[in-house]
Amino acid sequence: MTINELFNGIYLVDNKLATINLDIGHKVYNEELIHYNNNEYRLWNPYRSKLAAAILNKLKTVEIKKNLKILYIGSATGTTVSHVSDIIGKDGLVYCIELSERNMRQFLNSCENRENIIPILADARYTEKYEDIVEECDVLYQDVSSKDQTEILKKNSRFLKKNGIAYFIIKSQSIDISKDPKIIFENELNKLKQDFEIKEKINIEPYDKKHLFVVLKKL
Ligand SMILES: C[S@@+](CC[C@H](N)C(=O)[O-])C[C@H]1O[C@@H](n2cnc3c(N)ncnc32)[C@H](O)[C@@H]1O
């Protein structure tokens, strides 16, 4: 077996992406667990996680690191969040905002032992609902499928520190299915130029189609 550390806390285990499991013995989405040298690695499926897809498609800015505070919008049932939780470790913190009660229930079941996760059932359009809980964050990650996703990101950037990195997945199909995705991506990025520097744009095919994975730096 070959293990290479690709980025801080992110590994290639026989060329498959993985993180070291913070919640030993537990799976979140039926991923494979691999034991090697006293570590338990959890394979990270790029077809289930756009962050994994972006990393495999040569993402350069990987700012999710040990001990950091992350605000994660659209945590769903916790697939990607669980890997973020592995990477930031027990002294990091990930605030997770999720609108759907059903997803939140499943998320709470699968991640109940992960003490670095703060789940918040809320609509991310209304940041005042969680402004007393969320502290200033090093990184913002947003993956929500709504028409006003760019406005949601702008609102939540109030929690991101200056020069902090935001990962933003633009879903063209949620904005307008009738338009060419390229035009939609350009329009949405134009709305962000005043507040962010655009650092990277990653196409995440073949793992996901009609999405653009964008890396932004808060000005
Ligand atoms: C594509 S899924 C996220 C998948 C997840 N990021 C992962 O990789 O494991 C989008 C999630 O965003 C949630 N969502 C949509 N609009 C939202 C909003 N306004 N506020 C909070 N969550 C929202 C949905 O309920 C859904 O669970």
Side-chain angles (χ1 to χ4, degrees):
M1 178 171 297
T2 58
I3 309 232
N4 294 310
E5 191 168 15
L6 199 57
F7 294 101
N8 188 279
I10 303 173
Y11 301 84
L12 279 178
V13 177
D14 282 343
N15 286 325
K16 290 184 180 148
L17 208 62
T19 54
I20 293 181
N21 199 357
L22 196 62
D23 184 13
I24 304 289
H26 290 113
K27 298 181 180 189
V28 173
Y29 57 105
N30 208 26
E31 66 281 16
E32 195 181 335
L33 302 180
I34 292 175
H35 295 92
Y36 188 76
N37 265 354
N38 293 328
N39 281 323
E40 184 174 87
Y41 293 87
R42 282 198 311 129
L43 293 192
W44 191 357
N45 185 342
Y47 289 95
R48 300 282 302 276
S49 167
K50 295 172 200 91
L51 179 56
I55 292 170
L56 290 178
N57 281 7
K58 307 275 180 269
L59 175 69
K60 291 199 275 293
T61 315
V62 179
E63 274 303 313
I64 296 174
K65 293 179 182 163
K66 222 174 186 49
N67 303 341
L68 295 191
K69 277 201 184 83
I70 320 273
L71 174 58
Y72 192 114
I73 316 282
S75 41
T77 54
T79 303
T80 302
V81 169
S82 65
H83 290 284
V84 169
S85 154
D86 286 346
I87 298 164
I88 62 176
K90 59 180 177 40
D91 295 323
L93 209 53
V94 53
Y95 300 99
C96 299
I97 316 296
E98 174 52 51
L99 180 64
S100 149
E101 282 184 33
R102 191 164 174 223
N103 284 348
M104 183 55 93
R105 252 194 306 277
Q106 197 179 326
F107 178 42
L108 292 177
N109 280 337
S110 56
C111 295
E112 62 179 348
N113 299 325
R114 293 177 174 270
E115 289 178 7
N116 62 5
I117 290 180
I118 313 273
I120 301 170
L121 181 67
D123 185 335
R125 293 180 182 94
Y126 306 105
T127 56
E128 63 280 7
K129 301 269 186 210
Y130 46 90
E131 66 186 5
D132 292 340
I133 304 171
V134 177
E135 290 173 28
E136 188 180 64
C137 288
D138 304 289
V139 173
L140 170 59
Y141 186 98
Q142 184 179 302
D143 180 16
V144 301
S145 32
S146 63
K147 200 174 168 57
D148 57 344
Q149 51 195 265
T150 304
E151 287 68 31
I152 293 177
L153 182 88
K154 283 176 86 166
K155 282 184 183 161
N156 280 276
S157 70
R158 59 178 283 202
F159 299 109
L160 181 63
K161 70 177 188 190
K162 188 169 188 279
N163 294 326
I165 293 294
Y167 297 98
F168 176 38
I169 296 132
I170 310 181
K171 298 166 183 276
S172 64
Q173 296 297 91
S174 307
I175 294 170
D176 190 340
I177 44 168
S178 68
K179 274 200 190 135
D180 178 353
K182 278 196 192 117
I183 294 177
I184 294 179
F185 297 148
E186 219 35 63
N187 284 346
E188 299 308 302
L189 288 176
N190 277 336
K191 294 184 199 167
L192 294 168
K193 279 186 177 149
Q194 224 182 340
D195 306 306
F196 294 96
E197 172 195 332
I198 298 160
K199 282 180 71 75
E200 288 188 66
K201 294 186 246 177
I202 313 267
N203 176 333
I204 53 171
E205 287 182 12
Y207 308 108
D208 239 314
K209 295 201 170 94
K210 299 189 175 169
H211 288 74
L212 187 67
F213 189 103
V214 185
V215 183
L216 304 159
K217 183 175 171 182
K218 187 175 170 180
L219 298 173

